[in-house]
Amino acid sequence: MIVDELLNYLIVILMTAGVIFGGKAVWDWKKNRTPRLDLNKLEAERAQYLQENFDKATADFNYLEEARENLTDRELVNQLRLLQRTAKNLLNHLEKNPARIALAYKFIDYYQDRAVKIVKQYIELEETHLSTDKIQDLKARMKQTLAALDDAYQDQFEHILNDQIISADAELKVMEQQLDAEGIKRKTIDVGQVDEYGNVRIDTDLLDQPMRLEPQRKFFPQQSMQQRRRGEVDAMPLDLPFPEEDRPQIVQTKLIQSALAIFLGSLGAHKFYQGKNFQGVLHILLTMTVFLAPLSGLIGMVEGIRYLFMPIEDFYDQYIKDKRRDKNGRHKP
């Protein structure tokens, strides 16, 4: 009779603990589960947004390139050549680094967009064949605005490269300090001088050079970003130590181990459950010792609470991961 009552009492305790901890585990699983469909949808929307902006920047670049070939104003043609050179370098960089397209929103939606509108308006004025003072003044202001856009293009490019510039600057400072510490003198290069190969160290101003005919430099991406792997478009990696479908089983193991430690920790039940038989026997020996019996139960309760509130990833790494190894030390599937 006493044994039956103890078993009934133990069953009631385990059922109560299962209900309490089971509800907590279900809530924890729902809160921490990975919304795969939502992430894929977000990733697809981001990829589409980047592609649309890149296509718009490419279309504007190609329009300005065609317009440059048809204009007769030498000063305006040379100014557009400067703009197009910077824009082409920027587009090449964005094609290789699609995640940075979002940083170029001002260049795409404002600066280059305004350059297209100004050139269109200039062409429309040219087609009127009017040469009044007001028309001439308006054309001059348009060319001045385009000249200012050259600096805006370069500032945008520098903004996009900001993190790369900071990293390179930090590395150079470290190298310069190292060279100075070793007594190695750094050479100073005079900008603008001609080197031993006859190359000028800085580009000259193209505005003062005669207009030269150049082939069109339309921008055709080497590969559409939609054809790239999604992982190259700022994907959100999921660094889980276990497959998502194993989460319910791991949560169940976590709850069972917590309940055993809290209610039967003095008997080392949780240690036997983990396969640590030696530690389980130590708990039994402590329980059999009159003065150390409360200590064994207290240790079990503390460990059970720790199991219960431990993140599921940490629990997997400490108590399940090693059990999934075969005799050769490889992980079981």
Side-chain angles (χ1 to χ4, degrees):
M1 292 294 295
I2 297 177
V3 175
D4 292 338
E5 290 181 359
L6 289 176
L7 289 176
N8 293 332
Y9 178 72
L10 179 60
I11 292 174
V12 171
I13 291 177
L14 291 177
M15 290 179 62
T16 303
V19 172
I20 296 175
F21 297 141
K24 174 70 169 57
V26 172
W27 178 82
D28 182 65
W29 176 76
K30 288 185 177 180
K31 182 180 69 173
N32 296 326
R33 69 185 181 92
T34 304
R36 293 177 181 271
L37 294 178
D38 292 341
L39 287 177
N40 290 337
K41 182 178 179 181
L42 178 63
E43 183 180 341
E45 290 178 353
R46 177 173 176 80
Q48 182 179 1
Y49 167 79
L50 296 178
Q51 184 67 59
E52 290 175 353
N53 280 268
F54 186 74
D55 291 343
K56 180 183 183 303
T58 301
D60 289 342
F61 176 90
N62 291 337
Y63 171 81
L64 291 174
E65 194 65 15
E66 289 182 356
R68 184 175 66 86
E69 297 297 325
N70 297 323
L71 290 171
T72 57
D73 188 301
R74 177 179 301 175
E75 189 177 14
L76 181 59
V77 168
N78 286 329
Q79 183 57 52
L80 282 178
R81 183 182 293 114
L82 283 173
L83 288 178
Q84 291 297 87
R85 182 176 60 183
T86 305
K88 185 175 180 63
N89 293 334
L90 177 54
L91 290 176
N92 281 328
H93 179 77
L94 294 179
E95 184 189 9
K96 297 177 182 177
N97 303 274
R100 295 183 177 180
I101 294 177
L103 299 175
Y105 70 94
K106 187 177 289 187
F107 164 77
I108 297 172
D109 295 331
Y110 188 76
Y111 291 134
Q112 189 171 240
D113 185 75
R114 293 301 184 274
V116 170
K117 291 181 179 180
I118 291 174
V119 171
K120 286 182 178 180
Q121 293 173 350
Y122 190 94
I123 293 175
E124 291 176 357
L125 292 177
E126 284 279 282
E127 292 175 350
T128 63
H129 300 288
L130 292 175
S131 58
T132 61
D133 293 340
K134 190 171 185 179
I135 296 295
Q136 295 299 326
D137 178 68
L138 187 58
K139 289 181 179 180
R141 290 168 54 195
M142 287 180 177
K143 288 188 285 188
Q144 291 174 358
T145 302
L146 288 175
L149 284 179
D150 182 38
D151 294 334
Y153 276 27
Q154 297 184 31
D155 289 342
Q156 273 294 288
F157 203 171
E158 183 177 343
H159 170 71
I160 296 171
L161 297 174
N162 186 50
D163 56 343
Q164 187 174 344
I165 293 173
I166 293 176
S167 176
D169 180 66
E171 292 181 1
L172 282 176
K173 288 182 179 179
V174 172
M175 180 59 67
E176 290 170 353
Q177 293 175 359
Q178 182 68 23
L179 292 175
D180 292 340
E182 295 179 1
I184 300 176
K185 295 182 179 180
R186 287 173 279 144
K187 297 180 180 180
T188 302
I189 299 177
D190 295 329
V191 177
Q193 290 188 355
V194 179
D195 59 17
E196 56 183 334
Y197 301 103
N199 299 320
V200 180
R201 298 188 183 276
I202 191 171
D203 293 334
T204 56
D205 190 358
L206 296 178
L207 290 176
D208 297 331
Q209 295 183 4
M211 184 172 59
R212 294 174 298 175
L213 294 178
E214 295 180 359
Q216 292 187 9
R217 296 175 296 177
K218 283 192 175 182
F219 188 84
F220 296 102
Q222 298 177 3
Q223 183 182 15
S224 173
M225 280 181 291
Q226 293 178 349
Q227 298 175 355
R228 299 175 186 262
R229 293 177 299 174
R230 286 189 172 184
E232 297 179 4
V233 189
D234 200 16
M236 299 175 66
L238 303 176
D239 297 329
L240 291 177
F242 53 83
E244 182 64 24
E245 56 269 18
D246 291 350
R247 182 181 289 270
Q249 182 179 358
I250 298 173
V251 171
Q252 181 181 0
T253 303
K254 182 170 177 279
L255 290 175
I256 294 175
Q257 189 167 310
S258 301
L260 291 175
I262 292 175
F263 298 103
L264 298 175
S266 59
L267 299 178
H270 59 296
K271 295 298 182 182
F272 289 112
Y273 182 78
Q274 297 172 15
K276 301 177 180 179
N277 298 331
F278 178 75
Q279 296 184 19
V281 172
L282 288 180
H283 273 273
I284 295 178
L285 293 177
L286 288 176
T287 303
M288 295 175 62
T289 305
V290 177
F291 297 102
L292 298 179
L295 178 62
S296 178
L298 179 61
I299 293 175
M301 181 172 295
V302 171
E303 288 183 330
I305 295 174
R306 176 173 170 268
Y307 301 151
L308 182 62
F309 293 98
M310 179 183 295
I312 189 170
E313 293 81 6
D314 296 341
F315 182 84
Y316 174 84
D317 288 337
Q318 294 186 28
Y319 301 104
I320 299 180
K321 185 176 180 180
D322 291 338
K323 293 182 180 180
R324 293 191 174 185
R325 296 179 181 270
D326 57 19
K327 295 181 179 180
N328 296 324
R330 296 174 297 187
H331 283 286
K332 297 180 181 180

